[in-house]
Amino acid sequence: GIAMFTDVSARIREVVSCPVSVVGKIETSEQCEQILETGAADMVGAAAALLKDSNWAKRMLAEVAGE
């Protein structure tokens, strides 16, 4: 899959009527975008990436914005 649990989150999303979040080895903006664009989840959690690099979110936003 795209990340560790996207196959599971996609199956859950098919049968529930609430937003679904996914976590697990999500470390790049490309992974986040692909998860959201494919409908595997409604939200993405990247706690491990943030623990490794406190500026991760800022770098990913800049990357997506093309800076």
Short mmCIF file of all heavy atoms in Angstrom, two decimals:
data_model
loop_
_atom_site.label_atom_id
_atom_site.label_comp_id
_atom_site.label_asym_id
_atom_site.label_seq_id
_atom_site.Cartn_x
_atom_site.Cartn_y
_atom_site.Cartn_z
N GLY A 1 0.81 -1.20 0.00
CA GLY A 1 0.00 0.00 0.00
C GLY A 1 0.84 1.25 0.00
O GLY A 1 2.06 1.20 -0.06
N ILE A 2 0.19 2.35 0.08
CA ILE A 2 0.84 3.66 0.08
C ILE A 2 1.65 3.83 1.36
O ILE A 2 2.76 4.29 1.36
CB ILE A 2 -0.21 4.79 -0.02
CG1 ILE A 2 -1.06 4.59 -1.26
CG2 ILE A 2 0.47 6.14 -0.03
CD1 ILE A 2 -2.34 5.37 -1.24
N ALA A 3 1.06 3.46 2.46
CA ALA A 3 1.70 3.48 3.77
C ALA A 3 1.20 2.25 4.51
O ALA A 3 0.44 1.46 3.95
CB ALA A 3 1.36 4.78 4.50
N MET A 4 1.57 2.09 5.73
CA MET A 4 1.30 0.83 6.44
C MET A 4 -0.17 0.41 6.49
O MET A 4 -0.47 -0.75 6.29
CB MET A 4 1.84 0.91 7.86
CG MET A 4 3.32 0.73 7.93
SD MET A 4 3.96 0.77 9.60
CE MET A 4 3.26 -0.69 10.32
N PHE A 5 -1.07 1.31 6.76
CA PHE A 5 -2.45 0.91 7.03
C PHE A 5 -3.48 1.46 6.05
O PHE A 5 -4.68 1.46 6.34
CB PHE A 5 -2.83 1.30 8.46
CG PHE A 5 -1.92 0.68 9.49
CD1 PHE A 5 -1.04 1.45 10.22
CD2 PHE A 5 -1.94 -0.69 9.70
CE1 PHE A 5 -0.19 0.88 11.15
CE2 PHE A 5 -1.10 -1.28 10.63
CZ PHE A 5 -0.22 -0.49 11.36
N THR A 6 -3.05 1.92 4.89
CA THR A 6 -4.01 2.52 3.96
C THR A 6 -5.00 1.51 3.39
O THR A 6 -6.13 1.86 3.10
CB THR A 6 -3.30 3.24 2.80
OG1 THR A 6 -2.39 2.33 2.18
CG2 THR A 6 -2.55 4.46 3.30
N ASP A 7 -4.58 0.27 3.26
CA ASP A 7 -5.52 -0.74 2.78
C ASP A 7 -6.65 -0.94 3.78
O ASP A 7 -7.82 -1.06 3.41
CB ASP A 7 -4.82 -2.07 2.47
CG ASP A 7 -4.02 -2.61 3.65
OD1 ASP A 7 -3.63 -1.83 4.54
OD2 ASP A 7 -3.77 -3.83 3.67
N VAL A 8 -6.32 -0.92 5.05
CA VAL A 8 -7.32 -1.07 6.11
C VAL A 8 -8.21 0.17 6.18
O VAL A 8 -9.44 0.06 6.26
CB VAL A 8 -6.65 -1.33 7.47
CG1 VAL A 8 -7.67 -1.38 8.59
CG2 VAL A 8 -5.83 -2.61 7.42
N SER A 9 -7.61 1.36 6.15
CA SER A 9 -8.40 2.59 6.25
C SER A 9 -9.36 2.71 5.07
O SER A 9 -10.50 3.16 5.24
CB SER A 9 -7.52 3.83 6.36
OG SER A 9 -6.77 4.03 5.17
N ALA A 10 -8.93 2.30 3.89
CA ALA A 10 -9.81 2.37 2.71
C ALA A 10 -11.01 1.45 2.88
O ALA A 10 -12.15 1.84 2.55
CB ALA A 10 -9.02 2.00 1.46
N ARG A 11 -10.79 0.26 3.41
CA ARG A 11 -11.92 -0.67 3.64
C ARG A 11 -12.86 -0.14 4.71
O ARG A 11 -14.08 -0.24 4.57
CB ARG A 11 -11.40 -2.05 4.01
CG ARG A 11 -10.77 -2.77 2.84
CD ARG A 11 -10.46 -4.19 3.19
NE ARG A 11 -9.58 -4.23 4.35
CZ ARG A 11 -8.53 -5.00 4.48
NH1 ARG A 11 -8.22 -5.85 3.54
NH2 ARG A 11 -7.79 -4.96 5.55
N ILE A 12 -12.31 0.43 5.76
CA ILE A 12 -13.15 1.01 6.82
C ILE A 12 -13.97 2.16 6.27
O ILE A 12 -15.17 2.28 6.53
CB ILE A 12 -12.29 1.47 8.01
CG1 ILE A 12 -11.68 0.26 8.72
CG2 ILE A 12 -13.09 2.34 8.98
CD1 ILE A 12 -10.63 0.60 9.76
N ARG A 13 -13.32 3.01 5.47
CA ARG A 13 -13.99 4.19 4.91
C ARG A 13 -15.20 3.81 4.06
O ARG A 13 -16.17 4.56 3.97
CB ARG A 13 -13.00 4.98 4.08
CG ARG A 13 -13.46 6.38 3.79
CD ARG A 13 -12.30 7.22 3.31
NE ARG A 13 -12.78 8.55 3.02
CZ ARG A 13 -13.02 8.99 1.79
NH1 ARG A 13 -12.82 8.23 0.75
NH2 ARG A 13 -13.47 10.22 1.63
N GLU A 14 -15.16 2.64 3.43
CA GLU A 14 -16.27 2.17 2.60
C GLU A 14 -17.53 1.85 3.40
O GLU A 14 -18.62 1.89 2.86
CB GLU A 14 -15.86 0.92 1.83
CG GLU A 14 -14.83 1.17 0.76
CD GLU A 14 -14.35 -0.11 0.10
OE1 GLU A 14 -14.87 -1.20 0.40
OE2 GLU A 14 -13.45 -0.02 -0.74
N VAL A 15 -17.37 1.55 4.69
CA VAL A 15 -18.52 1.07 5.47
C VAL A 15 -18.95 1.99 6.62
O VAL A 15 -19.90 1.67 7.32
CB VAL A 15 -18.28 -0.35 6.02
CG1 VAL A 15 -18.12 -1.34 4.88
CG2 VAL A 15 -17.08 -0.39 6.95
N VAL A 16 -18.27 3.10 6.81
CA VAL A 16 -18.66 4.03 7.87
C VAL A 16 -19.05 5.37 7.26
O VAL A 16 -18.72 5.67 6.12
CB VAL A 16 -17.54 4.23 8.92
CG1 VAL A 16 -17.19 2.92 9.60
CG2 VAL A 16 -16.31 4.87 8.31
N SER A 17 -19.75 6.16 8.05
CA SER A 17 -20.19 7.47 7.56
C SER A 17 -19.52 8.61 8.32
O SER A 17 -20.05 9.71 8.40
CB SER A 17 -21.71 7.58 7.68
OG SER A 17 -22.10 7.43 9.02
N CYS A 18 -18.34 8.33 8.89
CA CYS A 18 -17.58 9.37 9.59
C CYS A 18 -16.19 9.46 8.97
O CYS A 18 -15.74 8.54 8.28
CB CYS A 18 -17.50 9.05 11.07
SG CYS A 18 -16.66 7.50 11.44
N PRO A 19 -15.49 10.55 9.20
CA PRO A 19 -14.14 10.68 8.65
C PRO A 19 -13.21 9.60 9.20
O PRO A 19 -13.31 9.21 10.36
CB PRO A 19 -13.69 12.07 9.12
CG PRO A 19 -14.96 12.80 9.40
CD PRO A 19 -15.92 11.76 9.89
N VAL A 20 -12.30 9.13 8.36
CA VAL A 20 -11.34 8.09 8.72
C VAL A 20 -9.93 8.66 8.63
O VAL A 20 -9.58 9.32 7.66
CB VAL A 20 -11.48 6.87 7.79
CG1 VAL A 20 -10.40 5.84 8.05
CG2 VAL A 20 -12.86 6.26 7.93
N SER A 21 -9.14 8.39 9.66
CA SER A 21 -7.75 8.83 9.70
C SER A 21 -6.84 7.62 9.53
O SER A 21 -7.19 6.51 9.91
CB SER A 21 -7.47 9.51 11.04
OG SER A 21 -6.14 9.95 11.10
N VAL A 22 -5.66 7.85 8.98
CA VAL A 22 -4.68 6.77 8.82
C VAL A 22 -3.32 7.24 9.32
O VAL A 22 -2.99 8.42 9.23
CB VAL A 22 -4.60 6.29 7.36
CG1 VAL A 22 -4.01 7.33 6.45
CG2 VAL A 22 -3.83 4.98 7.25
N VAL A 23 -2.57 6.31 9.90
CA VAL A 23 -1.21 6.56 10.38
C VAL A 23 -0.33 5.39 9.95
O VAL A 23 -0.83 4.35 9.54
CB VAL A 23 -1.15 6.71 11.91
CG1 VAL A 23 -1.99 7.88 12.37
CG2 VAL A 23 -1.62 5.43 12.59
N GLY A 24 0.97 5.55 10.05
CA GLY A 24 1.88 4.44 9.83
C GLY A 24 2.85 4.65 8.70
O GLY A 24 2.49 4.51 7.54
N LYS A 25 4.08 5.02 9.02
CA LYS A 25 5.16 5.19 8.04
C LYS A 25 4.85 6.24 6.98
O LYS A 25 5.25 6.11 5.82
CB LYS A 25 5.49 3.86 7.36
CG LYS A 25 5.88 2.77 8.30
CD LYS A 25 7.34 2.87 8.64
CE LYS A 25 7.72 1.63 9.45
NZ LYS A 25 9.00 1.71 10.03
N ILE A 26 4.13 7.27 7.36
CA ILE A 26 3.82 8.37 6.43
C ILE A 26 4.86 9.45 6.67
O ILE A 26 4.89 10.06 7.74
CB ILE A 26 2.39 8.89 6.66
CG1 ILE A 26 1.39 7.75 6.44
CG2 ILE A 26 2.10 10.07 5.75
CD1 ILE A 26 0.01 8.02 6.96
N GLU A 27 5.73 9.67 5.68
CA GLU A 27 6.85 10.57 5.89
C GLU A 27 7.04 11.63 4.81
O GLU A 27 7.88 12.49 4.94
CB GLU A 27 8.14 9.75 6.02
CG GLU A 27 8.10 8.81 7.21
CD GLU A 27 9.35 7.96 7.36
OE1 GLU A 27 10.17 7.94 6.42
OE2 GLU A 27 9.47 7.31 8.40
N THR A 28 6.25 11.58 3.73
CA THR A 28 6.44 12.56 2.65
C THR A 28 5.11 13.21 2.28
O THR A 28 4.03 12.65 2.51
CB THR A 28 7.02 11.91 1.38
OG1 THR A 28 6.04 11.02 0.83
CG2 THR A 28 8.31 11.16 1.67
N SER A 29 5.21 14.37 1.68
CA SER A 29 4.00 15.06 1.22
C SER A 29 3.34 14.26 0.10
O SER A 29 2.12 14.25 -0.02
CB SER A 29 4.31 16.48 0.77
OG SER A 29 5.21 16.48 -0.32
N GLU A 30 4.15 13.57 -0.70
CA GLU A 30 3.59 12.75 -1.77
C GLU A 30 2.72 11.64 -1.21
O GLU A 30 1.65 11.35 -1.75
CB GLU A 30 4.71 12.14 -2.63
CG GLU A 30 5.45 13.14 -3.48
CD GLU A 30 6.61 13.81 -2.74
OE1 GLU A 30 6.95 13.40 -1.60
OE2 GLU A 30 7.16 14.77 -3.28
N GLN A 31 3.17 11.01 -0.13
CA GLN A 31 2.36 9.97 0.51
C GLN A 31 1.05 10.55 1.01
O GLN A 31 -0.01 9.96 0.80
CB GLN A 31 3.11 9.33 1.67
CG GLN A 31 4.23 8.42 1.28
CD GLN A 31 4.98 7.92 2.49
OE1 GLN A 31 5.43 8.71 3.32
NE2 GLN A 31 5.13 6.61 2.60
N CYS A 32 1.12 11.69 1.66
CA CYS A 32 -0.09 12.34 2.19
C CYS A 32 -1.07 12.64 1.06
O CYS A 32 -2.26 12.33 1.16
CB CYS A 32 0.27 13.62 2.92
SG CYS A 32 1.25 13.38 4.42
N GLU A 33 -0.57 13.26 0.01
CA GLU A 33 -1.43 13.61 -1.12
C GLU A 33 -2.05 12.38 -1.76
O GLU A 33 -3.24 12.36 -2.07
CB GLU A 33 -0.64 14.38 -2.18
CG GLU A 33 -0.33 15.80 -1.76
CD GLU A 33 0.38 16.55 -2.87
OE1 GLU A 33 -0.31 16.98 -3.80
OE2 GLU A 33 1.61 16.70 -2.79
N GLN A 34 -1.26 11.33 -1.94
CA GLN A 34 -1.77 10.12 -2.57
C GLN A 34 -2.85 9.46 -1.71
O GLN A 34 -3.87 9.01 -2.24
CB GLN A 34 -0.64 9.14 -2.85
CG GLN A 34 -1.06 7.96 -3.69
CD GLN A 34 0.10 7.07 -4.06
OE1 GLN A 34 1.19 7.18 -3.52
NE2 GLN A 34 -0.15 6.17 -4.99
N ILE A 35 -2.66 9.44 -0.42
CA ILE A 35 -3.65 8.86 0.49
C ILE A 35 -4.97 9.61 0.37
O ILE A 35 -6.04 9.02 0.24
CB ILE A 35 -3.14 8.88 1.94
CG1 ILE A 35 -1.98 7.88 2.09
CG2 ILE A 35 -4.26 8.59 2.93
CD1 ILE A 35 -1.19 8.04 3.37
N LEU A 36 -4.90 10.94 0.40
CA LEU A 36 -6.11 11.74 0.32
C LEU A 36 -6.75 11.68 -1.06
O LEU A 36 -7.97 11.56 -1.18
CB LEU A 36 -5.80 13.18 0.71
CG LEU A 36 -5.30 13.37 2.16
CD1 LEU A 36 -4.85 14.80 2.37
CD2 LEU A 36 -6.37 12.97 3.15
N GLU A 37 -5.94 11.74 -2.10
CA GLU A 37 -6.47 11.73 -3.47
C GLU A 37 -7.10 10.39 -3.85
O GLU A 37 -8.07 10.35 -4.61
CB GLU A 37 -5.37 12.09 -4.47
CG GLU A 37 -5.00 13.55 -4.43
CD GLU A 37 -3.83 13.89 -5.33
OE1 GLU A 37 -3.27 12.99 -6.00
OE2 GLU A 37 -3.45 15.08 -5.35
N THR A 38 -6.57 9.30 -3.33
CA THR A 38 -7.13 7.98 -3.65
C THR A 38 -8.33 7.64 -2.79
O THR A 38 -9.01 6.65 -3.04
CB THR A 38 -6.08 6.86 -3.47
OG1 THR A 38 -5.64 6.84 -2.11
CG2 THR A 38 -4.91 7.05 -4.42
N GLY A 39 -8.59 8.47 -1.77
CA GLY A 39 -9.73 8.21 -0.90
C GLY A 39 -9.46 7.13 0.14
O GLY A 39 -10.39 6.60 0.73
N ALA A 40 -8.19 6.81 0.36
CA ALA A 40 -7.86 5.80 1.37
C ALA A 40 -8.17 6.29 2.78
O ALA A 40 -8.37 5.50 3.69
CB ALA A 40 -6.39 5.40 1.26
N ALA A 41 -8.22 7.61 2.96
CA ALA A 41 -8.52 8.20 4.27
C ALA A 41 -8.92 9.66 4.07
O ALA A 41 -8.68 10.25 3.01
CB ALA A 41 -7.33 8.11 5.20
N ASP A 42 -9.54 10.22 5.10
CA ASP A 42 -9.92 11.63 5.07
C ASP A 42 -8.88 12.50 5.76
O ASP A 42 -8.81 13.70 5.50
CB ASP A 42 -11.27 11.80 5.80
CG ASP A 42 -12.35 10.98 5.13
OD1 ASP A 42 -12.69 11.29 3.98
OD2 ASP A 42 -12.84 10.02 5.75
N MET A 43 -8.10 11.89 6.64
CA MET A 43 -7.06 12.61 7.39
C MET A 43 -5.82 11.74 7.46
O MET A 43 -5.91 10.51 7.43
CB MET A 43 -7.53 12.89 8.82
CG MET A 43 -8.73 13.82 8.91
SD MET A 43 -9.36 13.94 10.60
CE MET A 43 -10.32 12.42 10.70
N VAL A 44 -4.66 12.40 7.56
CA VAL A 44 -3.39 11.68 7.62
C VAL A 44 -2.66 12.11 8.88
O VAL A 44 -2.53 13.30 9.16
CB VAL A 44 -2.54 12.00 6.37
CG1 VAL A 44 -1.18 11.35 6.46
CG2 VAL A 44 -3.27 11.59 5.11
N GLY A 45 -2.16 11.14 9.64
CA GLY A 45 -1.36 11.42 10.83
C GLY A 45 0.08 11.04 10.56
O GLY A 45 0.36 9.96 10.03
N ALA A 46 0.98 11.92 10.91
CA ALA A 46 2.40 11.66 10.65
C ALA A 46 3.23 11.94 11.90
O ALA A 46 4.21 12.69 11.86
CB ALA A 46 2.87 12.49 9.47
N ALA A 47 2.85 11.35 13.00
CA ALA A 47 3.51 11.63 14.28
C ALA A 47 4.98 11.25 14.28
O ALA A 47 5.82 12.00 14.78
CB ALA A 47 2.78 10.92 15.41
N ALA A 48 5.33 10.10 13.72
CA ALA A 48 6.74 9.68 13.71
C ALA A 48 7.61 10.67 12.95
O ALA A 48 8.71 11.01 13.38
CB ALA A 48 6.87 8.28 13.12
N ALA A 49 7.10 11.15 11.82
CA ALA A 49 7.85 12.13 11.03
C ALA A 49 8.04 13.42 11.83
O ALA A 49 9.10 14.03 11.79
CB ALA A 49 7.14 12.41 9.72
N LEU A 50 7.01 13.82 12.56
CA LEU A 50 7.11 15.03 13.38
C LEU A 50 8.07 14.85 14.56
O LEU A 50 8.75 15.79 14.96
CB LEU A 50 5.73 15.44 13.89
CG LEU A 50 4.82 16.06 12.84
CD1 LEU A 50 3.39 16.14 13.37
CD2 LEU A 50 5.32 17.44 12.45
N LEU A 51 8.11 13.65 15.12
CA LEU A 51 9.04 13.39 16.22
C LEU A 51 10.48 13.42 15.74
O LEU A 51 11.38 13.87 16.45
CB LEU A 51 8.74 12.05 16.88
CG LEU A 51 7.47 12.02 17.73
CD1 LEU A 51 7.16 10.59 18.16
CD2 LEU A 51 7.60 12.93 18.94
N LYS A 52 10.71 12.95 14.52
CA LYS A 52 12.07 12.96 13.96
C LYS A 52 12.50 14.36 13.57
O LYS A 52 13.68 14.70 13.65
CB LYS A 52 12.13 12.08 12.71
CG LYS A 52 12.06 10.62 12.97
CD LYS A 52 12.21 9.89 11.65
CE LYS A 52 11.59 8.52 11.70
NZ LYS A 52 11.61 7.88 10.39
N ASP A 53 11.55 15.19 13.12
CA ASP A 53 11.87 16.51 12.59
C ASP A 53 10.73 17.47 12.95
O ASP A 53 9.67 17.43 12.33
CB ASP A 53 12.04 16.43 11.08
CG ASP A 53 12.28 17.77 10.41
OD1 ASP A 53 12.41 18.80 11.12
OD2 ASP A 53 12.33 17.80 9.17
N SER A 54 10.96 18.32 13.92
CA SER A 54 9.90 19.23 14.38
C SER A 54 9.47 20.22 13.30
O SER A 54 8.40 20.83 13.41
CB SER A 54 10.33 19.98 15.64
OG SER A 54 11.48 20.76 15.37
N ASN A 55 10.27 20.40 12.27
CA ASN A 55 9.91 21.29 11.16
C ASN A 55 9.30 20.55 9.98
O ASN A 55 9.13 21.13 8.91
CB ASN A 55 11.15 22.07 10.69
CG ASN A 55 11.58 23.09 11.70
OD1 ASN A 55 10.77 23.81 12.25
ND2 ASN A 55 12.88 23.13 11.97
N TRP A 56 8.97 19.28 10.17
CA TRP A 56 8.44 18.45 9.08
C TRP A 56 7.23 19.09 8.41
O TRP A 56 7.19 19.21 7.20
CB TRP A 56 8.10 17.06 9.61
CG TRP A 56 7.59 16.13 8.56
CD1 TRP A 56 8.35 15.37 7.72
CD2 TRP A 56 6.24 15.88 8.20
NE1 TRP A 56 7.55 14.65 6.88
CE2 TRP A 56 6.24 14.94 7.15
CE3 TRP A 56 5.01 16.34 8.67
CZ2 TRP A 56 5.08 14.46 6.56
CZ3 TRP A 56 3.85 15.87 8.08
CH2 TRP A 56 3.89 14.94 7.04
N ALA A 57 6.25 19.49 9.20
CA ALA A 57 5.02 20.05 8.62
C ALA A 57 5.32 21.32 7.82
O ALA A 57 4.80 21.51 6.72
CB ALA A 57 4.00 20.35 9.72
N LYS A 58 6.18 22.16 8.34
CA LYS A 58 6.56 23.39 7.64
C LYS A 58 7.25 23.05 6.32
O LYS A 58 6.97 23.66 5.28
CB LYS A 58 7.49 24.23 8.52
CG LYS A 58 7.88 25.56 7.91
CD LYS A 58 8.89 26.27 8.78
CE LYS A 58 8.21 27.35 9.56
NZ LYS A 58 9.15 28.17 10.33
N ARG A 59 8.16 22.08 6.33
CA ARG A 59 8.83 21.69 5.10
C ARG A 59 7.87 21.09 4.08
O ARG A 59 7.97 21.37 2.89
CB ARG A 59 9.94 20.67 5.40
CG ARG A 59 11.16 21.28 6.05
CD ARG A 59 12.34 20.31 6.16
NE ARG A 59 12.01 19.01 6.74
CZ ARG A 59 11.82 17.89 6.05
NH1 ARG A 59 11.91 17.89 4.74
NH2 ARG A 59 11.55 16.75 6.66
N MET A 60 6.92 20.29 4.55
CA MET A 60 5.95 19.68 3.63
C MET A 60 5.04 20.74 3.01
O MET A 60 4.73 20.68 1.82
CB MET A 60 5.12 18.61 4.33
CG MET A 60 5.89 17.38 4.77
SD MET A 60 6.82 16.58 3.44
CE MET A 60 8.49 16.95 3.92
N LEU A 61 4.61 21.70 3.80
CA LEU A 61 3.79 22.79 3.25
C LEU A 61 4.56 23.58 2.20
O LEU A 61 4.02 23.93 1.15
CB LEU A 61 3.30 23.72 4.37
CG LEU A 61 2.21 23.15 5.26
CD1 LEU A 61 1.96 24.09 6.45
CD2 LEU A 61 0.93 22.95 4.48
N ALA A 62 5.82 23.86 2.48
CA ALA A 62 6.64 24.60 1.52
C ALA A 62 6.84 23.77 0.25
O ALA A 62 6.80 24.30 -0.86
CB ALA A 62 8.00 24.93 2.14
N GLU A 63 7.02 22.46 0.42
CA GLU A 63 7.20 21.57 -0.73
C GLU A 63 5.95 21.56 -1.62
O GLU A 63 6.03 21.68 -2.83
CB GLU A 63 7.49 20.16 -0.23
CG GLU A 63 7.81 19.16 -1.28
CD GLU A 63 8.10 17.80 -0.67
OE1 GLU A 63 8.97 17.73 0.21
OE2 GLU A 63 7.45 16.83 -1.09
N VAL A 64 4.80 21.47 -1.00
CA VAL A 64 3.53 21.45 -1.75
C VAL A 64 3.30 22.79 -2.44
O VAL A 64 2.81 22.84 -3.56
CB VAL A 64 2.36 21.09 -0.81
CG1 VAL A 64 1.03 21.29 -1.51
CG2 VAL A 64 2.49 19.66 -0.33
N ALA A 65 3.70 23.86 -1.79
CA ALA A 65 3.53 25.21 -2.35
C ALA A 65 4.58 25.51 -3.42
O ALA A 65 4.51 26.53 -4.09
CB ALA A 65 3.60 26.26 -1.25
N GLY A 66 5.56 24.61 -3.56
CA GLY A 66 6.58 24.79 -4.59
C GLY A 66 7.69 25.74 -4.21
O GLY A 66 8.35 26.31 -5.07
N GLU A 67 7.90 25.94 -2.93
CA GLU A 67 8.95 26.85 -2.49
C GLU A 67 10.29 26.15 -2.41
O GLU A 67 10.42 25.01 -2.22
CB GLU A 67 8.60 27.42 -1.12
CG GLU A 67 7.37 28.28 -1.15
CD GLU A 67 6.95 28.79 0.22
OE1 GLU A 67 7.71 28.62 1.18
OE2 GLU A 67 5.89 29.37 0.31
#
